[in-house]
Amino acid sequence: MKNPFHVMIIPTLGCPGNCAYCWSSEEGSPIMSIDTIHDIVRWLKSFRTDPVTFTFHGGEPLLAGAEFYRQALPILADELSELTPDFALQSNLWRMTPEIADALAAYHVPIGSSIDGPKEINDPQRGDGYYEKTFAGYEIARSHGLTVRFICTFTNKSVLHKEEIFNFFMDHGFPMKLHPALPSLRGDSPQEWALPPEEYGELLVFLLDRYLENIDRSEVMNINDLVRCVFTRHGTVCTYVDCMANTFAIGPDGGIYPCYRFVGMPEYVMGNVSDCPSLEELADSKPWKLMQEYKAYVDSACGDCSHIRYCRGGCPYNAIAPTEGRIEGVDPHCIAYRRIFDEINLRMNREMFETPTVSARRRQRTKPGVMALVQKIVSK
């Protein structure tokens, strides 16, 4: 099963937000030029022939302004029409304007945003005023016909309110996608907001249960992805696949990185779009070779794990960025992945292989099982 071709475009590393658990830079950070968009087109014309998805990420990509998107989107769509490009954008929505919304709506660009639950939970970790600013942008986006979905970051503080956060997403009709707060690579207190892997694993099991209890009223995208992994025996999102050669990120200056999370870290630059590097030239770079070393390490270290086919050691960034590029282990969230994969496997096997009579009695007295989620996912 071939992984999708995904190019993340990072117009700027600047961000007007000041989330407590995140790194941020000033709004005055450099912004990608339209010349770089033309360079991306020239590079991709000779690089790949299969369909591509472009995601505008950051930093805060809306800082690039309406005119950037008025020019960039038709250049990418028209000049790379043979790649049938799709688009997406990740933003806190603070700088959403009717002009930007119009530019995005012309190309049906879905938006991912971030909200961590009710205002009283969200703002203490994302900053005063975050909730209201994001929902003001949300209203502009929605009024222009744009689809918006929210990512929720769980910290070691907000996880104490997991029930309230789940209900917030369900009551608002928002599908939930979640991230665990990672140890900060900047600052003197890296663990201040980080969600420990053990707690992350228990959170995923909690969300699995709550999702099944409310299967017709809620949706947890991560649980869908995890169940799909187990059912198909193949990773379906970037955390659980060998992402090299299929995912790239382009920084504001045209630098090519393995992923958006490495953008701004000079040691992970593999090339520049202005040079139109071939796949072979990128593969000869130090960051690419490091990623291949990580893949080999996973094959060895995780060889006896029953989940290796659809976990692949988790996210390489999580594994190697905190150790300054040294491969000393797999993604630290392995504990969480193993916990939820074990749980899904156990329940799926029990539901699939129990006798029909026992299965019927169980359905009468319990909530829907994992196979009900499989049916929901397959029917989409």
Side-chain angles (χ1 to χ4, degrees):
M1 187 182 297
K2 188 174 182 180
N3 297 317
F5 182 31
H6 188 193
V7 176
M8 300 180 179
I9 297 177
I10 317 300
T12 180
L13 289 173
C15 181
N18 190 28
C19 299
Y21 50 78
C22 185
W23 63 272
S24 180
S25 56
E26 299 299 323
E27 292 185 48
S29 293
I31 291 177
M32 181 178 288
S33 71
I34 292 300
D35 286 341
T36 299
I37 297 294
H38 284 293
D39 287 339
I40 292 172
V41 168
R42 283 192 291 271
W43 172 52
L44 291 181
K45 277 185 174 294
S46 60
F47 188 72
R48 289 279 286 264
T49 59
D50 44 332
V52 62
T53 295
F54 291 106
T55 298
F56 295 95
H57 214 294
E60 174 45 63
L62 295 190
L63 290 176
E67 187 58 29
F68 175 84
Y69 291 100
R70 287 193 193 106
Q71 295 185 58
L73 287 166
I75 290 170
L76 294 167
D78 297 342
E79 297 189 26
L80 291 173
S81 59
E82 68 276 15
L83 303 185
T84 60
D86 286 323
F87 299 99
L89 182 141
Q90 182 69 33
S91 165
N92 64 22
L93 296 176
W94 291 13
R95 298 306 171 92
M96 179 59 74
T97 65
E99 294 76 19
I100 293 177
D102 281 339
L104 299 177
Y107 289 85
H108 310 287
V109 180
I111 298 174
S113 191
S114 298
I115 206 79
D116 293 349
K119 180 178 178 179
E120 61 272 18
I121 296 173
N122 179 87
D123 282 11
Q125 59 189 41
R126 282 197 172 265
D128 289 341
Y130 183 104
Y131 185 95
E132 292 182 358
K133 292 176 184 176
T134 292
F135 271 97
Y138 170 79
E139 293 299 334
I140 294 173
R142 292 290 293 150
S143 69
H144 285 73
L146 293 168
T147 300
V148 181
R149 289 190 171 187
F150 290 103
I151 295 174
C152 176
T153 297
F154 279 89
T155 67
N156 56 30
K157 298 172 178 58
S158 69
V159 74
L160 302 175
H161 307 281
K162 57 184 181 290
E163 182 82 35
E164 187 176 353
I165 293 170
F166 176 86
N167 289 338
F168 170 85
F169 275 80
M170 181 171 64
D171 292 345
H172 282 78
F174 296 153
M176 175 188 278
K177 185 176 182 180
L178 63 136
H179 286 166
L182 300 168
S184 174
L185 298 184
R186 300 164 176 83
D188 299 326
S189 303
Q191 301 294 335
E192 182 178 359
W193 296 89
L195 184 65
E198 296 84 358
E199 292 188 37
Y200 181 34
E202 294 309 313
L203 171 64
L204 290 171
V205 174
F206 165 83
L207 291 173
L208 172 63
D209 284 331
R210 293 293 282 119
Y211 186 8
L212 291 174
E213 291 165 4
N214 300 275
I215 194 168
D216 295 325
R217 298 181 56 212
S218 66
E219 185 153 22
V220 183
M221 306 304 293
N222 303 64
I223 300 300
N224 286 350
D225 293 332
L226 293 163
V227 169
R228 191 181 291 110
C229 281
V230 174
F231 188 70
T232 65
R233 318 306 286 179
H234 185 274
T236 57
V237 292
C238 65
T239 303
Y240 310 117
V241 297
D242 295 320
C243 54
M244 284 304 297
N246 293 297
T247 298
F248 300 93
I250 314 300
D253 64 350
I256 304 172
Y257 297 79
C259 173
Y260 82 97
R261 300 175 77 181
F262 291 105
V263 175
M265 303 171 74
E267 63 271 31
Y268 290 99
V269 177
M270 300 187 295
N272 194 288
V273 291
S274 63
D275 299 321
C276 294
S278 66
L279 187 64
E280 292 73 23
E281 288 171 323
L282 294 179
D284 196 42
S285 68
K286 186 175 179 180
W288 183 295
K289 291 177 181 177
L290 180 63
M291 294 298 171
Q292 294 305 310
E293 289 177 28
Y294 178 74
K295 178 180 177 181
Y297 177 86
V298 168
D299 288 335
S300 174
C302 304
D304 295 333
C305 179
S306 61
H307 309 304
I308 186 173
R309 286 183 59 188
Y310 48 83
C311 177
R312 299 303 305 149
C315 176
Y317 175 89
N318 291 351
I320 66 179
T323 61
E324 299 181 341
R326 298 184 304 277
I327 299 175
E328 298 178 352
V330 297
D331 183 339
H333 285 118
C334 170
I335 296 168
Y337 306 149
R338 185 186 292 269
R339 175 72 178 92
I340 187 63
F341 281 137
D342 282 348
E343 187 71 23
I344 292 170
N345 269 285
L346 175 65
R347 297 188 191 194
M348 190 176 290
N349 288 334
R350 189 168 57 205
E351 292 171 31
M352 291 178 69
F353 297 112
E354 63 190 4
T355 64
T357 302
V358 171
S359 179
R361 287 201 302 267
R362 190 183 299 277
R363 283 197 300 271
Q364 290 175 0
R365 67 174 184 267
T366 64
K367 61 182 176 292
V370 170
M371 291 308 297
L373 273 184
V374 172
Q375 293 172 358
K376 180 177 180 177
I377 293 166
V378 170
S379 66
K380 285 189 172 184

